[in-house]
Each structure stands twice: as structure tokens, then as C-alpha cells.
Amino acid sequence: SLWPNVFLTVSELKEVNIYEIIQLTANKVIFIGSLVGLFIIFIKAKVSQEKRLEFMTFLLTIWIAVMLYVSTKSIRFSLLLCAPVAIGFGIFIGSVYEFLNRIIKNIVSLRFRLAVNTILILILFIPLYSVISSASLAQRIHPLMNDQWWDVLQKLKNETPQDAVINSWWDY
């Protein structure tokens, strides 16, 4: 064919498995927490029979399911999975907080309340792992430059007119 096969040359179009998608969107703890949060909100919607909450839960479930499937076909879509995972994880953290708060109200000990609130605050730092690992990865990625690129660029600089236009296929 005259044109390059973009499915081979564009890395965002590669297929990945579910585990890689989970690693791209968050980490295992956050992803599982988001699914638990989705399950919790589903149960709350069914118990309260609040139609709006049921509909929002349905949309969030469809969003996660469709984006999981689509992300296995092309890695570029995994970014669209971050928002529902974050919403689900937020629901999970909020539900854990509500549950522990109900338990704490029955216990009079100030020390125990302080300990539980400290644990809840530490749970909020779980997403920090993803931020730190992402920052670490970003620092290790650099633009690729090698001798071949350098030689070609020098040849273009020395052998072409100043107003020359260079056309290049963007993914090479």
C-alpha cells in the first residue's frame, strides 16, 4: 500500500489487556475500590428506589463497561475510563467514611474516634501512589534522538534552502 499501516505505527492504537488498562487508569486498589463504590451506589439506589440515582448508576455502569471494552481495542481510549473510575472511587471513600462514622458515634472513646479519623485521612492518600508513579514515569520519558536523526537533520540544514518545507509522516 502507498500509505503506512497506522495500526502498526501509531502506538495509541495497540490492543491491550484488562490488567494493562487498570494500570493505565489508576492502580488495582483504586480500580477495585471504584467497582465496590459502584456496587454500593447500585444497592443504595435499589433500596431507596430513587429513580434519578438508579439512572445515574446505570449510566456510570455503562460508561465503565463500554470504556473497558473499547480500551482493549485501542489503548488511546483508556483515558476516557479515568473519570468513571474516579467517581466510583469517590463513592467508595464516601461510603467507607459514612459507615465508619456511624460506628464511631456509638463509641464514646475520643481516642478511638481520633484513630478512625486518622485512618480515614490516610485512605485519602491512596491515589497519591498513582500520582507519584506517573510523575516518575514522566521523568524517565525523553524525546528520542539518535545518530540517524542527527545526520538527517544536519543534511537537511546544510543541503536545503532556508525556506524549504519538510513533509514528514508524524508517527515516525
Side-chain angles (χ1 to χ4, degrees), residues 102-114:
R102 272 187 257 133
I103 291 174
I104 291 174
K105 286 181 182 177
N106 297 331
I107 300 172
V108 183
S109 170
L110 182 62
R111 276 187 165 168
F112 186 76
R113 286 184 186 179
L114 186 62

Side-chain angles (χ1 to χ4, degrees), residues 23 33 89 94 101 118:
Q23 292 303 108
F89 189 70
N101 233 1
T118 303

Side-chain angles (χ1 to χ4, degrees), residues 5-17:
N5 183 350
V6 294
F7 292 106
L8 297 175
T9 60
V10 179
S11 64
E12 354 177 284
L13 294 176
K14 75 177 187 173
E15 292 187 12
V16 291
N17 60 37

